[in-house]
Amino acid sequence: GAVVSQHPSWVICKSGTSVKIECRSLDFQATTMFWYRQFPKQSLMLMATSNEGSKATYEQGVEKDKFLINHASLTLSTLTVTSAHPEDSSFYICSARRGGQGQYFGPGTRLTVL
Amino acid sequence: AQKITQTQPGMFVQEKEAVTLDCTYDTSDPSYGLFWYKQPSSGEMIFLIYQGSYDQQNATEGRYSLNFQKARKSANLVISASQLGDSAMYFCAMRYNFGNEKLTFGTGTRLTIIP
């Protein structure tokens, strides 16, 4: 089956710093990737749709200047949490769209901001 | 607006018994897709089963089957012969308006299998 990886799997950072999370489709090309955020014991909430070669589309209420998304190639999308604060601590999951086969999810990145 | 509802926050089931996880949805789009995902404690989202709105038959994948009742707008997941490894969070999700690949997730059901 399709494989999507995320790096790092977990990260701890100080308040005010920026953190970059990578999402890679390992065995297929993905023109569209998605970024989700999941708070403890809650569901996944879509943050943005990442399109290769163009600007990301953000969901209502998501700050695009805080959550920078770059989809520079057909196999890589990055999410940068800028000036992270403790309230940004969450589980971030990416998914990659593979043609008509739906979305394949990465293993997630747990971000803790101290 | 599209909405997914899972009314069971938690369920306990005896090993080897069948279990039904409820999911209802609301959409005005005629074309949509319904998904079930399993999320173990590790956090990864594991795809289980898919049902398209125009599919005539209920989807099945091994021990998983989807009880699709279109008129009632329900898409319940049935797991037969439950196993200890089935203990996890289960999310129902809907993709609406083909071409728009966005997924809307329900709040999830935590399933615990009792030995």
Side-chain angles (χ1 to χ4, degrees):
Chain A
V3 179
V4 176
S5 70
Q6 276 185 245
H7 178 81
S9 55
W10 58 271
V11 56
I12 301 173
C13 69
K14 291 183 178 181
S15 184
T17 61
S18 294
V19 175
K20 179 184 284 188
I21 302 170
E22 293 185 347
C23 177
R24 293 182 184 271
S25 55
L26 299 184
D27 55 355
F28 67 99
Q29 293 182 331
T31 55
T32 304
M33 292 184 175
F34 301 87
W35 287 96
Y36 296 85
R37 181 167 53 184
Q38 185 180 29
F39 291 109
K41 298 186 179 182
Q42 294 189 24
S43 188
L44 278 73
M45 298 298 294
L46 178 65
M47 299 176 66
T49 303
S50 172
N51 301 297
E52 188 267 336
S54 64
K55 291 183 178 180
T57 304
Y58 291 82
E59 295 300 300
Q60 192 172 7
V62 177
E63 300 175 60
K64 61 181 181 180
D65 294 330
K66 181 170 186 60
F67 299 100
L68 301 179
I69 292 172
N70 185 16
H71 194 156
S73 76
L74 288 172
T75 59
L76 173 65
S77 175
T78 60
L79 169 68
T80 301
V81 184
T82 62
S83 187
H85 291 286
E87 57 266 29
D88 298 323
S89 298
S90 186
F91 191 58
Y92 292 87
I93 307 176
C94 75
S95 69
R97 175 188 174 189
R98 183 179 188 180
Q101 300 179 30
Q103 297 182 30
Y104 292 86
F105 284 83
T109 297
R110 192 163 302 281
L111 170 64
T112 301
V113 184
L114 302 177
Chain B
Q2 286 71 22
K3 188 177 179 181
I4 290 277
T5 303
Q6 294 180 254
T7 58
Q8 307 154 310
M11 289 190 70
F12 291 84
V13 173
Q14 203 75 39
E15 188 181 7
K16 298 181 183 178
E17 290 186 351
V19 56
T20 298
L21 304 181
D22 296 341
C23 173
T24 58
Y25 60 92
D26 188 20
T27 181
S28 57
D29 291 318
S31 296
Y32 53 89
L34 296 157
F35 299 77
W36 276 93
Y37 289 90
K38 172 184 178 181
Q39 187 180 41
S41 57
S42 59
E44 60 186 308
M45 295 292 284
I46 302 171
F47 166 75
L48 296 178
I49 199 166
Y50 168 78
Q51 181 86 41
S53 59
Y54 293 120
D55 293 344
Q56 296 295 317
Q57 295 187 329
N58 288 344
T60 60
E61 289 285 349
R63 294 188 299 112
Y64 304 107
S65 61
L66 201 151
N67 185 0
F68 182 45
Q69 298 188 43
K70 196 170 183 177
R72 293 187 175 183
K73 293 188 175 180
S74 73
N76 299 338
L77 175 70
V78 180
I79 306 174
S80 63
S82 58
Q83 303 170 357
L84 295 179
D86 294 333
S87 294
M89 281 291 289
Y90 288 79
F91 290 98
C92 180
M94 178 170 63
R95 178 185 68 191
Y96 51 94
N97 189 12
F98 284 141
N100 177 347
E101 292 292 333
K102 293 182 182 181
L103 291 179
T104 298
F105 284 84
T107 52
T109 296
R110 179 167 296 281
L111 176 64
T112 303
I113 306 300
I114 305 167

